[in-house]
Structure formats: structure tokens, C-alpha cells
Amino acid sequence: METVYSLKPLLAVLVSLVAVAFIVIPNQRPNVRESWTILAALAKFALVASMLPLILQGKSPAITLFAISPGISLALRVDYLGIIFGLSASFLWILTSFFSMGYVRSIPEHKQTRYFASFAICLSATMGIAFAANLFTLVIFYEILTIATYPLVIHRETPGAIFGGRKYLVYLLTGGVFLLFALALTYQLSGTVDFQAGGILPALTAKSSVIMLFTLFLLSFGVKSAIMPMHSWLPTAMVAPTPVSALLHAVAVVKAGVFGFARAIGFIIGPSMLHESGASGFLAALTAATILVASLIALRQDNLKARLAYSTVGHLSYIVLGLTLFSPSAWIGALLHIVNHAMMKITLFFCAGAIHVKTHCENVSQLNGIGRQMPLTMAAFAIASVGLAGIPPVNGFISKWYLVQGSYDAGQIVFVVILLLSGLLNAGYFFSIVVRAFFAPSDKFTRFDEASKLMIVPLVITAVLSLLMGIFPDRIPYFFQLASSAAQSVFGGGGL
Amino acid sequence: MSSLSILIVASLLLFCFISVLVGIWRLRWAYAVALAGMALALVAAGTGFYRVLADGELRYFLGGWPPPFGIEYVLDHLSAFMVVIIVFIGLIAVIYPPEAGLYHTPRRGISAYGLVLLLIAGLVGVVVTGDLFNLFVFLEIYSLASYALITMGGDKAVVASFRYLILGTIAGSFYLLGVGFIYFSTGTLNMADAARLLTPLYGSPTIMAAVALIVVGMGIKMALFPLHVWLPDAHSYAPPVVAAILAAIQIEVAAYVIVRMMLTIFQPQYFIDIMPITTIIGWVAAAGIIFGSVMAIAQKDFKRMLAYSTVAQVAYIGLGIGLANQLGMIGALLHILNHAFMKSCLFLVAGGIRYQTGLHKISQFAGLGRKMPLMMSAFTVAALSMVGIPPTAGFFSKWYLVLGGIEANNWVFVAVILASSLLTAVYFFRMIEKLFATPSGGDPAVEQAREPSARILTPIIILAIGIIVLGLINALIVSYVLQPVVALLP
């Protein structure tokens, strides 16, 4: 890709950080405070979206700020991969902001200023991760994201929330420590940390070094991507308010881990070198096991958010599995699944939030007949469930199709079987909720009574988008083209 | 030739006397005089630093006697770097108001600020002198000042100070004995001259004994595990301003002496190959990092936790020296700077909490975060830096140390640095959780707590901002200041 100088990546990162200063102004009315969030979210999405035409022309907006260590710069560069993550996260932040407003006011939550301020910092960090031009920059934003999410996890300040926060920190900071090690080892092995499609390790790197580096990436990015056995922070962190779970634990934080894998495999180690070292097989097996085990655990969860959390664990491993396979199709599937899963899972979390606000039900067993009271919510829930099970015409089918094809191309029939089996399990744990909601008799939920519009409109939008992206995979907004270009650049060697 | 180096020391000494004399008449004026003295010293130190970067080494012959006959003062990259840190932290500590920072100031008109200036003058003197014996004199000056200052923390502090006095004197004697051996063998006390004369004597057992004595003596002074036993009491009972100075700059000066020995007076090879000093320091420091961190986790008192944290942090510096390569040494020297900012910030926060609420146990701090948001935000920045979260300064010390560890192929050291980040996280996040996420138990001290006055907040906020700025500009510091220092290393 041709690099063009642009201020936009920096502005996209900074806009929400600037908004924090306005959000924390004391003694302002909640409406004014939330308008800063909304403004920042819209501005951020507009900035990211405005870079899309350039990217589609094969040009890469970039900006180098200053040296952060001799020979390493703090630098941002937007490529195919980065814009996929950036677009989806910034778009979903807009919807989540509206949803959050409805949510925190209906509950009502305390310390809302801290809540919205932390959220804005998290989004800045997410953009920084998406647009980082080198591993050092990525690590800085990755750690900022870890820390900025902590206040949101402990937001309720109950003993459960504090326990969740501790567990979150133990897992995530341990991952961060391994990431620092991986960063230093990358620098020592290749003398640079700049991302380059196809990898930057010198051709003569010892196999043992490659395996060690990959293991370190696994131990660091694997935590945020919730690969078993490093996943258990994620279900515990579900004590956070639902919009936090929706955006951070389905889109930003966990996808930052997955995105880190994409950078590490495609842009640091390089798929061919990784494949030759044989280390990827271990991770592929681990993710395959995670997919099955997480799905089985999800089947047994009665708490709705816990079920969604384990489903997230499983789907994150879909993506990582795709990235480890030596096949462009698998990469396309994985990258598409970053977006598709985000869209579907955020719908489900929005639904869970709406149900919680309206009925205070948190368990699946309490949801008999809720479809009569909240038909829109449960319809959206049904669409997203169909998608996550990988059934057309919802977008989950498209990404799964490529993942299956990629597994086949890579000669790994066993993963084809696992992906199909996981689809059945997904159907099992999601459809049971849908069936319960619409067909089970109930005397509790009889009247039509949806949550406030601030909450319903976002979840309808994401559900409809999931459907549209399934029917027209390349119309909105070129995700298929971006994903295949990214995969081509990684496998084409040396970059397009 | 430039008299800047001696000017810093001399002006500090002068203002020290003025401050004491004025203090007899008007106690408040002693504070103003000390402030003026430190500000002047900072201007001189800044000028010296700038000129060293622009023109290279600045030398001054005391009384006009050229070395090796007279005493020489040298401002090179390393000493200019140290002087700026010492004087800056000293100034911050003096700005901090005495009512919060020195709670047992003696009555009857004796100003503690005279002692603070004397302490800073001694520290600067050790760093700028080019003479081995003159270094000992300044070592004793700053030590005596610090013994006296520690006693101002109350009854327990007197005992702690006495223990420190005994061990500190032993350390000083070790150093003096070592310098004596070098003098017997070479007939010179000038560092540059000794460096030249010592080269043919590298096989000599006398020189080996001298080096061992000096390193052990300085190991006591810098509280390198297992020679740290005096530190936890002395630093936790000392008044906050004193503790800030001791932890942030005083013990680091002892580390400076070891680095100076290794890089200037001897060739690095002597400390690496001929005597296994870096190896020993490295392994001892690795043990010290773990020990200090674990002990810090076990503490209930905030200042005592900080004191054990210092044992661990100063061991980082030792570990960097022990790695015996450029990257490790850069990490060590950068950590002197970063730790100075972090630890002084934390001790000043401890003083602020104590002054506003009278509390000092971590368990009592529940809910304070909402009462003092600004000071506790500064605390959080310093704590995150201690843990090593980018882009704060603490991350970058770890970055260079890990790079150095990988280059030295020393995976144990790498593991220790990384593991200690997690241990540090345990004791700092425990406190962050208490401050911000635990509801106050209705303790009236917490309920009535208010944000401290601007005079207390200003130095704390300056340090917190400094921590972030130092992180972002670390590449400049490393390229322009530290890389020339470590150029001799492999």
C-alpha cells in the first residue's frame, strides 16, 4: 500500500480523549455531558469513515509523531486490517452511547461521569490499537485500554464487582507483562517493530526463537481474546453494566486481543514462517478446544449474560483459529467474523440490557413468554442468534463459510467438523431462549411494553445491519473487499 | 573550565547557613531562604546540564590547583544528569509546605531547612567531585544531615535514625578504607588520574580488596538487598519530605558512585570480567526485587509499603548495572530519574493524606479517592508508573531493562523484571481499589476529608505530570544524555 501523510488517524484517536476533558467538567447537566459523548462518537466515526475511500484506492493514511525509544516512533498508519477494526468499533460506539444513556438513566446508575469518561478513553485506546503502525504503539494503547476498562468493570462497587475487577487485572496485567516481553524480543530479533504485511522477522531467525515469540504473543493476546484456559476473566467481568459488556466485552477489548493476533501473525512473524515453525498447530488445537468447551459451558448457563459471555469466548476462538490457518480464505473469514460477530453479539447484549432494565430478569429461565412483552427486542435477539449459529441469510453465515473453506484449503478437515458442530451447539443455546420467549406460556409478560427508544433503536439497527450484511456482504461498507485485500497483502508477501 | 559545578554546591552551603541564621530570628523566613537557594541551584544545574550537552565536559580546579594536586570538580553527562535530578527533586521537596512535610520540626527557632539544604549540597557534591577523598567528605555531609532529619519523625524515628547512623558509618568507613587502598597503590586521589594509574594494577589483590570494600559500602548506602535492613524503618518513620528526598535521590547517589567506579575510575571490564561484581550485583538485585515487592505487599502502613517498594525499586537499578551491557545500564540510569519522580510523588501524597486526615494505614483510606480527586489522581499516575503501564515513565525503565536482559541472554533477570511488575501491581492496585471503589466505613476522618491546599497539591501534580512527560520524551533523554554515558560498555 502506498503511504500518504494524513492527520486523520491521530484525530480519530484523540477526539474521544478531548471529549473526556469536557465530560468531566463538574456540575453540568447530564444531557450536556452526554452530548459530548455523542459528539465525540459521531466525529470519530466520521473521521474513520472519511479514510475509507483512500484505503479502497490502496492508499494508507499515516502519521509519525515522535521517537518513543531510539529507533522506534510513536506512529499511526491505517491499512485494510486497521480500518476494519476501526470502522466497526467507532460505529458501534455511537449506538452504544445512545444505549448507555437509556440504560444508566433507567437503572439509574451512580457515578455516571466516571462511567462516560472511562468509556471515551477506552475508545481512544481502541482506535490507537487499530491504527498503530508498529508494535510499540500498539502495546501502549493496548495497556491503556486494559487500565481504562478497570473502572468500568468495578463500576457497581459491590463485592462481586471488586472481585471481578481483581480477576480482570490479574489476567490482563499478566498478559500485558508477556506482551512487553514479546515486544522486546521482537525488537531484538528483527531490529524493528514496524508492522509489515507478511512479517518482519529476518529469514534466518531460528525456529526456536519463532516458537518462543509466538508463545509470548499467545500468552499476551490470548488473554484478551479469552482463549481457554485464559478466558475466565471474561465471564467474571460481566458484573459490569450491560453497555460495557456490549461494547467492550464483545467488541473493543476482546477484539483488541484478536486484532493483536492478526498483527502478530500477519505482520510480525508472518504466516509462512509461523507455519514452518509448527507452532500454530498448538494454538489451532487450543482454539478448537475452546470453541467446543465454551459452547458446552454456554449451554449450561442460566444467567443470560454469562451465556453470552461463554458464547463470546467460543466465537473469539473462531477468529483466532482462522488467523492461525495457513490459508487466505481462513483469514478472510476471520477478519469478517471480527465485524460480524461484533454486530451480532452487541445486538444480543443490547437485548439483555433492555430485558434487565425493563423486567430485572437476568436468568434465561425467567424469560418464558417475554416475546409478548418485548417483541422487537426478542426479534432482534432471534436474528442475531440465527447469525451466530451460522445460518443464512444473516452475516454470521458468510464469515463461517470462509472459515470452513479455509480449514478445508489448509487440509484441516477436523476444524471443518468442529466449526459445524459448534454451529449446532450455538443453535442449541440460543434457539432455546428464542423458543422460550415466543412460545412458552406466561402470565407475567402479557402487555406490549418495550424499553425506552434510546435502547430499542440501537438494537434494531444492529439486528437489521446483521441481516443486510448477510444478504449484501460487500455493499455495506466494503468489509468483504477490505478483508480480502488484507488477507492478500499478508499472504502475497511484502505487501500490496 | 567552568565554575558552575562548584557554584551549585557553594550556593547551597551558603544558603544553608543563611537559612539557619534567619531561622533563629523568623522561622518562616528560613523556608523562603531555602526556596531561594534551591531555585538558584536549579538554574545553575540547568545551565550546567545545557552546557554539557552543548560543549561536553566542564571541569573546575578548586583554588586553581590543577589535578592531580588539587581537587577537581567535573560536570559530564552522567554527573550533570544526576545533578539536575537531585536539585529538581530537592526544590520540589522544599516547595512542599513544612506543616505537612516536616511534622516534628524542632521548636526554638532552629530551621530544618538548613539541614535539607545541607543534605542536597552533600548529594550534589558527591556527584560533581572528581576526587575520591572529597567524595567521602560529601558522603559524610549528606549522611549526617540525613541522620538528623530522620529524627524529626518522632520517637521511633530516633531509633531508626540511630540504626541507620551505625550502618551508614560502617558503609562510609568501608568506602574510606577502599579509597585508602587505592591511594596506597597509586598515590593519587584524582579520579581521572587514578583511572590512568590503575590500569596496570588490575591484577593486584589490594585493588581488588579496595573495590570490594567500596562496592559493599555503597551497597549498604543504596540499601541493596540484603544490606537494606536500615531502610524500612528510617524511610517509614522519617517525615514525608525527608522520606521523599531519601528514597528519591539519596540512595540513588550511592548507586551513582558504583556506576562512576565502574565506568570512569575502572574500565567496565574490571567490574565485569576481572572481578565478577556485576554478576553479583545483578543476582543480589534480582533477589532484592522479589524480596522488596513481597514485603511491600505484606505492609499495612502506606509509608512502610513505600519504603519496601524502594528496596525493590533500587534493586532495579542494581539489576541494570548487573546486566553489564548498554541497554541494561540505560535502564538503570533512566530508572534513577523515573524512580525519583515516582517515589517522591508518592511520599508527598502520603504526607498530604496524613496532614489532611491524620490517617496512615491503607485500610483506613477507603473512600478517600472521591474526597481528594486531584491528589489521588496524581497518586494513581505514580502508581501506574510504578507498575509499568505505558506511556508513564516507569514502563520505559522496564523496557530498556528487558531489552538488556534479552541481549545478555539472562532469562532469569527478564522473568524477575516481569514478575515484579505483577507484584507491584498487587500492592498498588490494592490501594487504588481502596481509594476509589470501596465505600468509606463512616470514619469521620474520611468523611470530613477535603482536597489539600494548592501549596501541597502543586508539587505533587508537577511530579505526576513529570512522570507522563518523562515517559513521552524518554527517547530524547536516552539518545542525548545516557547513550554517551554508557558508550564504554559492551
Side-chain angles (χ1 to χ4, degrees):
Chain A
M1 286 179 91
E2 180 193 349
T3 302
V4 288
Y5 172 82
S6 166
L7 206 56
K8 281 179 186 167
L10 181 65
L11 293 177
V13 172
L14 288 183
V15 66
S16 44
L17 217 51
V18 173
V20 173
F22 289 100
I23 291 169
V24 298
I25 294 171
N27 305 323
Q28 55 180 343
R29 292 219 315 278
N31 278 340
V32 179
R33 181 188 59 203
E34 263 81 292
S35 64
W36 296 120
T37 300
I38 300 294
L39 272 178
L42 290 172
K44 182 171 286 242
F45 178 67
L47 279 165
V48 177
S50 72
M51 288 187 280
L52 186 61
L54 266 183
I55 306 274
L56 290 172
Q57 292 166 23
K59 291 185 180 140
S60 171
I63 181 169
T64 303
L65 298 173
F66 53 87
I68 195 79
S69 170
I72 302 174
S73 292
L74 199 63
L76 300 171
R77 182 169 177 270
V78 189
D79 60 359
Y80 297 119
L81 185 60
I83 195 99
I84 293 176
F85 188 33
L87 264 182
S88 54
S90 62
F91 175 69
L92 292 176
W93 188 35
I94 304 175
L95 298 180
T96 312
S97 301
F98 283 111
F99 186 85
S100 283
M101 284 163 59
Y103 184 86
V104 296
R105 290 182 189 179
S106 313
I107 293 281
E109 286 282 357
H110 68 158
K111 297 182 182 172
Q112 293 183 16
T113 301
R114 179 175 81 185
Y115 173 89
F116 283 105
S118 303
F119 232 123
I121 298 176
C122 284
L123 261 293
S124 269
T126 307
M127 284 309 122
I129 293 168
F131 299 156
N134 56 46
L135 189 59
F136 206 108
T137 311
L138 187 143
V139 169
I140 290 178
F141 287 111
Y142 194 86
E143 292 294 294
I144 293 176
L145 180 59
T146 301
I147 298 298
T149 311
Y150 174 69
L152 294 169
V153 175
I154 61 161
H155 183 79
R156 295 244 163 88
E157 300 187 359
T158 56
I162 287 178
F163 173 74
R166 280 187 197 170
K167 194 163 175 182
Y168 170 83
L169 280 178
V170 168
Y171 276 76
L172 275 286
L173 289 178
T174 310
V177 156
F178 284 116
L179 188 55
L180 170 60
F181 194 179
L183 171 65
L185 192 62
T186 305
Y187 186 60
Q188 291 287 28
L189 287 176
S190 42
T192 172
V193 290
D194 290 340
F195 292 132
Q196 205 183 342
I200 56 169
L201 289 189
L204 294 173
T205 309
K207 199 173 147 190
S208 60
S209 302
V210 176
I211 293 176
M212 177 160 179
L213 184 60
F214 183 68
T215 311
L216 290 171
F217 279 128
L218 168 58
L219 290 172
S220 47
F221 293 133
V223 178
K224 269 203 178 110
S225 335
I227 293 169
M228 286 183 176
M230 297 173 278
H231 68 287
S232 95
W233 63 273
L234 183 58
T236 320
M238 289 297 146
V239 293
T242 308
V244 175
S245 311
L247 186 63
L248 297 178
H249 298 148
V251 181
V253 172
V254 292
K255 293 288 156 60
V258 171
F259 185 80
F261 268 119
R263 285 295 190 205
I265 294 172
F267 295 77
I268 295 281
I269 299 178
S272 52
M273 194 174 272
L274 178 67
H275 193 64
E276 282 159 26
S277 78
S280 56
F282 176 70
L283 178 57
L286 210 57
T287 51
T290 305
I291 291 171
L292 286 184
V293 175
S295 302
L296 288 172
I297 296 176
L299 268 177
R300 296 168 45 88
Q301 299 298 315
D302 190 34
N303 184 302
L304 179 56
K305 276 178 79 181
R307 191 176 287 196
L308 294 181
Y310 278 105
S311 159
T312 304
V313 172
H315 279 274
L316 291 171
S317 278
Y318 275 40
I319 303 172
V320 180
L321 173 63
L323 295 174
T324 56
L325 294 174
F326 188 70
S327 144
S329 301
W331 263 67
I332 294 174
L335 300 183
L336 281 179
H337 208 56
I338 291 181
V339 182
N340 293 344
H341 172 251
M343 204 60 86
M344 295 181 284
K345 195 48 75 60
I346 208 167
T347 309
L348 295 180
F349 273 111
F350 282 168
C351 293
I355 293 169
H356 174 69
V357 164
K358 212 61 218 168
T359 66
H360 300 288
C361 291
E362 293 196 335
N363 292 337
V364 174
S365 53
Q366 299 166 316
L367 298 182
N368 286 352
I370 196 163
R372 257 154 273 171
Q373 182 182 333
M374 310 175 79
L376 284 171
T377 308
M378 292 321 291
F381 195 100
I383 292 176
S385 306
V386 169
L388 284 170
I391 299 170
V394 188
N395 58 359
F397 166 73
I398 310 279
S399 38
K400 199 164 196 178
W401 172 267
Y402 280 95
L403 282 170
V404 168
Q405 197 191 333
S407 312
Y408 185 77
D409 288 349
Q412 306 279 358
I413 306 301
V414 57
F415 296 138
V416 175
V417 176
I418 284 174
L419 286 169
L420 296 177
L421 194 59
S422 158
L424 285 178
L425 290 168
N426 266 276
Y429 61 75
F430 280 132
F431 291 174
S432 64
I433 301 174
V434 177
V435 169
R436 207 184 262 276
F438 283 109
F439 301 111
S442 161
D443 41 5
K444 207 163 49 163
F445 309 114
T446 46
R447 241 165 12 87
F448 175 84
D449 187 13
E450 287 277 11
S452 76
K453 287 198 185 69
L454 279 172
M455 303 173 73
I456 292 303
V457 173
L459 68 85
V460 169
I461 291 179
T462 51
V464 170
L465 276 177
S466 303
L467 205 56
L468 288 178
M469 286 162 70
I471 303 171
F472 311 107
D474 202 31
R475 291 290 165 77
I476 3 172
Y478 309 99
F479 278 126
F480 181 79
Q481 190 185 336
L482 291 170
S484 54
S485 300
Q488 267 177 38
S489 71
V490 167
F491 283 89
L496 275 157
Chain B
M1 280 283 276
S2 166
S3 55
L4 268 170
S5 46
I6 188 69
L7 210 66
I8 305 170
V9 183
S11 71
L12 283 171
L13 285 174
L14 180 70
F15 276 89
C16 155
F17 290 118
I18 299 176
S19 168
V20 172
L21 290 177
V22 168
I24 296 172
W25 182 44
R26 284 278 197 283
L27 200 56
R28 285 184 60 84
W29 288 26
Y31 174 76
V33 169
L35 208 56
M38 287 309 306
L40 192 70
L42 185 63
V43 172
T47 316
F49 183 69
Y50 174 75
R51 288 195 46 196
V52 167
L53 289 193
D55 312 330
E57 221 171 56
L58 300 177
R59 310 166 78 95
Y60 177 73
F61 307 147
L62 195 64
W65 295 91
F69 309 107
I71 294 173
E72 180 190 26
Y73 287 79
V74 182
L75 216 51
D76 60 3
H77 283 86
L78 179 56
S79 53
F81 171 72
M82 291 294 298
V83 168
V84 172
I85 299 173
I86 292 169
V87 176
F88 182 81
I89 299 293
L91 176 64
I92 292 286
V94 172
I95 291 176
Y96 198 72
E99 61 269 22
L102 285 165
Y103 37 74
H104 284 281
T105 319
R107 296 282 159 210
R108 290 193 297 273
I110 304 293
S111 150
Y113 282 96
L115 283 172
V116 172
L117 287 194
L118 192 63
L119 171 58
I120 306 289
L123 295 172
V124 174
V126 168
V127 172
V128 295
T129 187
D131 184 276
L132 287 164
F133 184 76
N134 195 237
L135 194 153
F136 170 73
V137 174
F138 283 117
L139 197 74
E140 286 301 301
I141 290 179
Y142 88 64
S143 300
L144 289 171
S146 59
Y147 305 142
L149 280 168
I150 291 170
T151 59
M152 291 181 188
D155 298 341
K156 285 180 177 166
V158 176
V159 184
S161 172
F162 185 69
R163 271 181 78 188
Y164 177 34
L165 186 148
I166 306 268
L167 280 163
T169 309
I170 293 174
S173 314
F174 276 14
Y175 176 83
L176 186 61
L177 211 55
V179 169
F181 286 176
I182 291 177
Y183 184 60
F184 291 147
S185 310
T186 62
T188 185
L189 287 168
N190 181 279
M191 289 183 188
D193 202 31
R196 190 171 51 81
L197 293 171
L198 278 169
T199 321
L201 298 173
Y202 277 178
S204 150
T206 321
I207 298 300
M208 289 189 179
V211 169
L213 282 166
I214 292 173
V215 169
V216 172
M218 289 303 109
I220 297 176
K221 281 279 183 196
M222 77 181 270
L224 195 57
F225 175 84
L227 306 173
H228 67 282
V229 286
W230 59 271
L231 184 141
D233 278 353
H235 284 197
S236 50
Y237 296 135
V241 160
V242 178
I245 295 175
L246 296 187
I249 49 184
Q250 194 221 29
I251 51 175
E252 281 72 7
V253 162
Y256 159 85
V257 175
I258 294 180
V259 173
R260 180 60 86 192
M261 286 283 159
M262 175 169 165
L263 297 183
T264 307
I265 301 167
F266 291 86
Q267 284 163 10
Q269 288 313 317
Y270 190 78
F271 274 52
I272 299 168
D273 296 330
I274 301 177
M275 285 182 78
I277 290 183
T278 50
T279 312
I280 295 171
I281 291 182
W283 284 99
V284 163
I289 290 174
I290 301 295
F291 170 84
S293 305
V294 171
M295 288 302 287
I297 293 172
Q299 301 308 314
K300 296 186 172 68
D301 183 279
F302 181 31
K303 270 171 74 190
R304 210 169 171 76
M305 178 183 103
L306 293 181
Y308 274 106
S309 152
T310 304
V311 173
Q313 297 292 319
V314 82
Y316 271 90
I317 300 167
L319 191 91
I321 297 172
L323 284 171
N325 55 31
Q326 293 198 1
L327 288 163
M329 189 59 95
I330 287 176
L333 295 175
L334 195 63
H335 200 59
I336 291 182
L337 170 66
N338 296 341
H339 180 249
F341 273 70
M342 300 186 279
K343 198 45 77 59
S344 55
C345 182
L346 291 169
F347 269 117
L348 296 187
V349 168
I353 295 176
R354 172 127 185 194
Y355 183 68
Q356 294 298 108
T357 66
L359 302 175
H360 55 94
K361 280 209 163 71
I362 296 166
S363 58
Q364 302 165 322
F365 292 170
L368 271 184
R370 283 192 80 70
K371 300 285 180 185
M372 316 175 166
L374 280 175
M375 186 161 81
M376 291 316 174
S377 309
F379 164 82
T380 308
V381 170
L384 292 179
S385 179
M386 297 288 283
V387 178
I389 303 294
T392 57
F395 173 77
F396 293 96
S397 339
K398 291 198 175 135
W399 159 248
Y400 292 108
L401 288 173
V402 170
L403 282 181
I406 293 175
E407 186 161 297
N409 260 321
N410 196 326
W411 304 105
V412 179
F413 284 9
V414 173
V416 165
I417 297 164
L418 298 176
S420 83
S421 297
L422 297 177
L423 294 174
T424 314
V426 172
Y427 58 86
F428 276 113
F429 271 103
R430 181 182 60 178
M431 189 155 153
I432 290 174
E433 188 186 288
K434 263 276 180 278
L435 289 170
F436 291 102
T438 318
S440 67
D443 182 348
V446 174
E447 293 300 325
Q448 290 158 15
R450 289 283 168 274
E451 192 86 77
S453 69
R455 288 179 63 213
I456 295 180
L457 272 181
T458 310
I460 292 173
I461 304 267
I462 290 175
L463 289 170
I465 293 172
I467 288 168
I468 294 173
V469 171
L470 286 179
L472 294 176
I473 64 161
N474 83 87
L476 293 177
I477 301 171
V478 170
S479 328
Y480 291 105
V481 187
L482 300 181
Q483 273 175 348
V485 174
V486 301
L488 286 174
L489 283 166

